[in-house]
Amino acid sequence: MRKVTRFTALFMASVLLLSGCQGSQGGSDSGNTGTSQAAASGQESTGVKDTLTIALHEEPPSMSPVDNDSLATIYINLLTNNLLFKIDPETLEIKPDLCESYEQVSDTEYLFKLREGVKFHHGKELDAEDVVASIENAKEYPASSPYTGEIASVEALDKYQVKMTLVEPYSNLLYDLAYHFNYILPKDLLESGHDFAAEPVGTGPYKFVSWQRGSQITLEKFDDYWDETEMPTIKTIIWKLIPEGTSRTLALETGEVDVIYQVETADVERLKANPDVHVEEKTSVENFYMPLNTAVAPFDDVNLRQAINCAIDRDAIIFGALNGYGTPSYSAVPMGYEGSWEGNANHFDLEKAQEYLEAWGGDPASVDLVILCRTDENTRVATVIQDNLSKIGINVTIEQVDTPSWHARRASGDYIAGVTSWSPSNCFTYLVRYDSSKAESIPGSLVDPQTDELIAEMKRTMDPDARVEVMHEIVDRVNELVPHISLWQGQYFRAWDSKLEGIVISGTGYVRFHTAKWTE
């Protein structure tokens, strides 16, 4: 067991980025996996295993790719859907996906040539009208606005060519088109009102079969998948919901599951010692943080927020809740990106916390900080925070919720704080979340005109070096306002049966499962 030091984590993240840096449909509650008895047991008649069962720590609140930001949903959508562009999991750089090629005609005009012969799961061939309908649909959702708002218009020039016109010159368009809100969906199903939240339909390597809520989600290989170079070899993927960490570990050890998506840090060394298990460790750009509802008193006061920030001991979290795995995080953006920066960031300092409390002027005993937690790990972290804040007289209540409740409460503004994380592919995308428009989908998010002006400048700055300077100004400002408390950057631990190969983990935490195969 070892602690990943700050230097080690930053060095490894830098190496990651520099070395070459992401049919049939069933009812959602049918309880029928739609697979044969042989597939259900994970065996074909030849005796070769053709099922992959993955332990998932939280259930998606919805399958829709456009109106929620749940990581559990993204895990599923990565297998069922495609985008115009994708993030290379090893390099975090942009690569074509459904887009075969593109041309930037001017500062505000782009032409995209689509791949021909791509089919959706229900049999329709992908064409330019599907792209137009998908982008226009995404623009209807507040949560999608940071990733579609720069697109003034999108039109089909012919069957396979799409033209996008931007509001103004914009430096992050291709990354936005690789973001999950912009998955390409079939126009006919969008127009017919198909419920993508219950039944995803895309062009991905796996198609949806069933969702037994509270239990499992079943996907099946899509035989007409367009990318023959990455055609899956495993017929069925089952996502099995196991919220408790040690139970996931036992499930892998006993063969109930083949993969643990999120390994309990307390079990890392135990699994590493098991010759039948492969443990993959990856330095992440994922930032774990505690958002505060800045629209609710007294958390609308920056001095109180800074007092809380200074009173939290990140090292205590890492050693007390994470078994020593992780590196402290203090800034509004994680380290490891081009543009990462710690300007104006406060560190653990109880004396400074007291100074901020005095500047706030209220009674700490009157503050009731309720932290929403979705996982065992979240709860352990919140317990450390509870102890930290007791030292400056602030009371902390820990409330355990499931993932759908977490998203529902944040969307309605019914929250004070929580433990969560985010890991986009670049610094630009991370910083856009601080724009005031975010408060439309998550009430209580930062609303600050000065930050908005800087983000607008970042969007229009095409020169990379100049853009990084603006990013630093944004980080300076957000660290001054501290709308959320950055806590730690973690190591990813994914574990699987040692007979599996071909699984690829990204520094953003996403995993490519469609290339997995059994070696015997």
mmCIF file of all heavy atoms in Angstrom, residues 26-51:
data_model
loop_
_atom_site.group_PDB
_atom_site.id
_atom_site.type_symbol
_atom_site.label_atom_id
_atom_site.label_comp_id
_atom_site.label_asym_id
_atom_site.label_seq_id
_atom_site.Cartn_x
_atom_site.Cartn_y
_atom_site.Cartn_z
ATOM 1 N N GLY A 26 -35.302 -4.212 -25.765
ATOM 2 C CA GLY A 26 -36.225 -4.757 -24.777
ATOM 3 C C GLY A 26 -36.776 -3.676 -23.896
ATOM 4 O O GLY A 26 -36.295 -2.554 -23.890
ATOM 5 N N GLY A 27 -37.815 -4.008 -23.130
ATOM 6 C CA GLY A 27 -38.395 -3.056 -22.204
ATOM 7 C C GLY A 27 -37.477 -2.817 -21.034
ATOM 8 O O GLY A 27 -36.675 -3.666 -20.660
ATOM 9 N N SER A 28 -37.630 -1.638 -20.398
ATOM 10 C CA SER A 28 -36.675 -1.254 -19.366
ATOM 11 C C SER A 28 -36.851 -2.031 -18.070
ATOM 12 O O SER A 28 -35.928 -2.124 -17.290
ATOM 13 C CB SER A 28 -36.822 0.248 -19.078
ATOM 14 O OG SER A 28 -38.112 0.532 -18.608
ATOM 15 N N ASP A 29 -38.031 -2.561 -17.823
ATOM 16 C CA ASP A 29 -38.248 -3.289 -16.579
ATOM 17 C C ASP A 29 -38.762 -4.708 -16.842
ATOM 18 O O ASP A 29 -39.451 -5.300 -16.019
ATOM 19 C CB ASP A 29 -39.265 -2.545 -15.699
ATOM 20 C CG ASP A 29 -38.647 -1.337 -15.034
ATOM 21 O OD1 ASP A 29 -37.706 -1.515 -14.238
ATOM 22 O OD2 ASP A 29 -39.112 -0.231 -15.311
ATOM 23 N N SER A 30 -38.401 -5.253 -17.968
ATOM 24 C CA SER A 30 -38.976 -6.535 -18.351
ATOM 25 C C SER A 30 -38.500 -7.682 -17.482
ATOM 26 O O SER A 30 -39.169 -8.689 -17.350
ATOM 27 C CB SER A 30 -38.626 -6.841 -19.807
ATOM 28 O OG SER A 30 -37.228 -7.018 -19.928
ATOM 29 N N GLY A 31 -37.266 -7.563 -16.932
ATOM 30 C CA GLY A 31 -36.695 -8.652 -16.162
ATOM 31 C C GLY A 31 -36.186 -9.771 -17.041
ATOM 32 O O GLY A 31 -35.717 -10.795 -16.559
ATOM 33 N N ASN A 32 -36.248 -9.596 -18.374
ATOM 34 C CA ASN A 32 -35.790 -10.610 -19.320
ATOM 35 C C ASN A 32 -34.549 -10.093 -20.008
ATOM 36 O O ASN A 32 -34.593 -9.078 -20.685
ATOM 37 C CB ASN A 32 -36.906 -10.880 -20.338
ATOM 38 C CG ASN A 32 -36.487 -11.910 -21.368
ATOM 39 O OD1 ASN A 32 -35.389 -12.466 -21.300
ATOM 40 N ND2 ASN A 32 -37.372 -12.159 -22.321
ATOM 41 N N THR A 33 -33.437 -10.781 -19.841
ATOM 42 C CA THR A 33 -32.190 -10.301 -20.436
ATOM 43 C C THR A 33 -32.179 -10.449 -21.932
ATOM 44 O O THR A 33 -31.352 -9.863 -22.609
ATOM 45 C CB THR A 33 -30.984 -11.073 -19.862
ATOM 46 O OG1 THR A 33 -31.090 -12.444 -20.239
ATOM 47 C CG2 THR A 33 -30.923 -10.933 -18.364
ATOM 48 N N GLY A 34 -33.071 -11.226 -22.498
ATOM 49 C CA GLY A 34 -33.114 -11.374 -23.939
ATOM 50 C C GLY A 34 -32.006 -12.259 -24.476
ATOM 51 O O GLY A 34 -31.786 -12.309 -25.670
ATOM 52 N N THR A 35 -31.271 -12.946 -23.626
ATOM 53 C CA THR A 35 -30.186 -13.812 -24.074
ATOM 54 C C THR A 35 -30.591 -15.258 -23.898
ATOM 55 O O THR A 35 -31.483 -15.606 -23.134
ATOM 56 C CB THR A 35 -28.906 -13.541 -23.272
ATOM 57 O OG1 THR A 35 -29.178 -13.760 -21.891
ATOM 58 C CG2 THR A 35 -28.436 -12.111 -23.458
ATOM 59 N N SER A 36 -29.911 -16.139 -24.595
ATOM 60 C CA SER A 36 -30.194 -17.555 -24.484
ATOM 61 C C SER A 36 -29.709 -18.091 -23.154
ATOM 62 O O SER A 36 -28.948 -17.449 -22.439
ATOM 63 C CB SER A 36 -29.511 -18.304 -25.626
ATOM 64 O OG SER A 36 -28.108 -18.238 -25.454
ATOM 65 N N GLN A 37 -30.120 -19.310 -22.832
ATOM 66 C CA GLN A 37 -29.671 -19.933 -21.585
ATOM 67 C C GLN A 37 -28.160 -20.080 -21.584
ATOM 68 O O GLN A 37 -27.499 -19.871 -20.570
ATOM 69 C CB GLN A 37 -30.343 -21.295 -21.413
ATOM 70 C CG GLN A 37 -29.981 -21.985 -20.092
ATOM 71 C CD GLN A 37 -30.730 -23.278 -19.911
ATOM 72 O OE1 GLN A 37 -31.591 -23.632 -20.715
ATOM 73 N NE2 GLN A 37 -30.440 -23.985 -18.845
ATOM 74 N N ALA A 38 -27.579 -20.423 -22.724
ATOM 75 C CA ALA A 38 -26.127 -20.561 -22.798
ATOM 76 C C ALA A 38 -25.440 -19.246 -22.560
ATOM 77 O O ALA A 38 -24.457 -19.163 -21.825
ATOM 78 C CB ALA A 38 -25.732 -21.126 -24.174
ATOM 79 N N ALA A 39 -25.983 -18.157 -23.185
ATOM 80 C CA ALA A 39 -25.361 -16.843 -22.994
ATOM 81 C C ALA A 39 -25.503 -16.390 -21.563
ATOM 82 O O ALA A 39 -24.614 -15.761 -21.000
ATOM 83 C CB ALA A 39 -25.984 -15.824 -23.945
ATOM 84 N N ALA A 40 -26.670 -16.696 -20.954
ATOM 85 C CA ALA A 40 -26.879 -16.278 -19.572
ATOM 86 C C ALA A 40 -25.866 -16.925 -18.647
ATOM 87 O O ALA A 40 -25.471 -16.351 -17.637
ATOM 88 C CB ALA A 40 -28.295 -16.644 -19.134
ATOM 89 N N SER A 41 -25.424 -18.101 -18.971
ATOM 90 C CA SER A 41 -24.430 -18.752 -18.141
ATOM 91 C C SER A 41 -23.013 -18.367 -18.532
ATOM 92 O O SER A 41 -22.054 -18.789 -17.903
ATOM 93 C CB SER A 41 -24.576 -20.272 -18.263
ATOM 94 O OG SER A 41 -24.243 -20.703 -19.578
ATOM 95 N N GLY A 42 -22.901 -17.534 -19.586
ATOM 96 C CA GLY A 42 -21.600 -17.060 -20.019
ATOM 97 C C GLY A 42 -20.877 -18.046 -20.909
ATOM 98 O O GLY A 42 -19.688 -17.917 -21.150
ATOM 99 N N GLN A 43 -21.559 -19.056 -21.435
ATOM 100 C CA GLN A 43 -20.904 -20.063 -22.267
ATOM 101 C C GLN A 43 -21.666 -20.254 -23.571
ATOM 102 O O GLN A 43 -22.895 -20.211 -23.599
ATOM 103 C CB GLN A 43 -20.829 -21.415 -21.533
ATOM 104 C CG GLN A 43 -20.208 -21.349 -20.166
ATOM 105 C CD GLN A 43 -18.721 -21.098 -20.210
ATOM 106 O OE1 GLN A 43 -18.052 -21.511 -21.134
ATOM 107 N NE2 GLN A 43 -18.200 -20.408 -19.231
ATOM 108 N N GLU A 44 -20.935 -20.451 -24.644
ATOM 109 C CA GLU A 44 -21.520 -20.941 -25.869
ATOM 110 C C GLU A 44 -21.443 -22.465 -25.838
ATOM 111 O O GLU A 44 -20.825 -23.065 -24.963
ATOM 112 C CB GLU A 44 -20.764 -20.393 -27.082
ATOM 113 C CG GLU A 44 -20.970 -18.891 -27.291
ATOM 114 C CD GLU A 44 -20.274 -18.396 -28.540
ATOM 115 O OE1 GLU A 44 -19.317 -19.061 -28.993
ATOM 116 O OE2 GLU A 44 -20.685 -17.354 -29.059
ATOM 117 N N SER A 45 -22.071 -23.096 -26.845
ATOM 118 C CA SER A 45 -22.060 -24.555 -26.881
ATOM 119 C C SER A 45 -20.650 -25.113 -26.993
ATOM 120 O O SER A 45 -20.387 -26.255 -26.642
ATOM 121 C CB SER A 45 -22.911 -25.038 -28.061
ATOM 122 O OG SER A 45 -22.401 -24.517 -29.287
ATOM 123 N N THR A 46 -19.716 -24.291 -27.490
ATOM 124 C CA THR A 46 -18.327 -24.726 -27.606
ATOM 125 C C THR A 46 -17.604 -24.693 -26.275
ATOM 126 O O THR A 46 -16.484 -25.193 -26.168
ATOM 127 C CB THR A 46 -17.575 -23.812 -28.586
ATOM 128 O OG1 THR A 46 -17.612 -22.468 -28.081
ATOM 129 C CG2 THR A 46 -18.210 -23.850 -29.961
ATOM 130 N N GLY A 47 -18.212 -24.079 -25.256
ATOM 131 C CA GLY A 47 -17.569 -23.971 -23.954
ATOM 132 C C GLY A 47 -16.748 -22.708 -23.781
ATOM 133 O O GLY A 47 -16.171 -22.485 -22.723
ATOM 134 N N VAL A 48 -16.691 -21.854 -24.815
ATOM 135 C CA VAL A 48 -15.946 -20.603 -24.731
ATOM 136 C C VAL A 48 -16.835 -19.536 -24.102
ATOM 137 O O VAL A 48 -17.965 -19.312 -24.551
ATOM 138 C CB VAL A 48 -15.474 -20.150 -26.126
ATOM 139 C CG1 VAL A 48 -14.750 -18.812 -26.019
ATOM 140 C CG2 VAL A 48 -14.566 -21.200 -26.741
ATOM 141 N N LYS A 49 -16.329 -18.867 -23.098
ATOM 142 C CA LYS A 49 -17.122 -17.855 -22.411
ATOM 143 C C LYS A 49 -17.364 -16.670 -23.338
ATOM 144 O O LYS A 49 -16.438 -16.169 -23.972
ATOM 145 C CB LYS A 49 -16.396 -17.400 -21.141
ATOM 146 C CG LYS A 49 -17.241 -16.538 -20.224
ATOM 147 C CD LYS A 49 -16.573 -16.356 -18.873
ATOM 148 C CE LYS A 49 -17.467 -15.589 -17.920
ATOM 149 N NZ LYS A 49 -16.870 -15.430 -16.580
ATOM 150 N N ASP A 50 -18.607 -16.208 -23.422
ATOM 151 C CA ASP A 50 -18.918 -15.091 -24.307
ATOM 152 C C ASP A 50 -19.750 -14.022 -23.608
ATOM 153 O O ASP A 50 -20.457 -13.250 -24.236
ATOM 154 C CB ASP A 50 -19.623 -15.583 -25.568
ATOM 155 C CG ASP A 50 -21.020 -16.136 -25.292
ATOM 156 O OD1 ASP A 50 -21.332 -16.388 -24.109
ATOM 157 O OD2 ASP A 50 -21.777 -16.313 -26.251
ATOM 158 N N THR A 51 -19.673 -14.001 -22.283
ATOM 159 C CA THR A 51 -20.363 -12.986 -21.489
ATOM 160 C C THR A 51 -19.354 -12.266 -20.603
ATOM 161 O O THR A 51 -18.434 -12.891 -20.072
ATOM 162 C CB THR A 51 -21.457 -13.618 -20.608
ATOM 163 O OG1 THR A 51 -22.465 -14.184 -21.441
ATOM 164 C CG2 THR A 51 -22.103 -12.584 -19.690
#
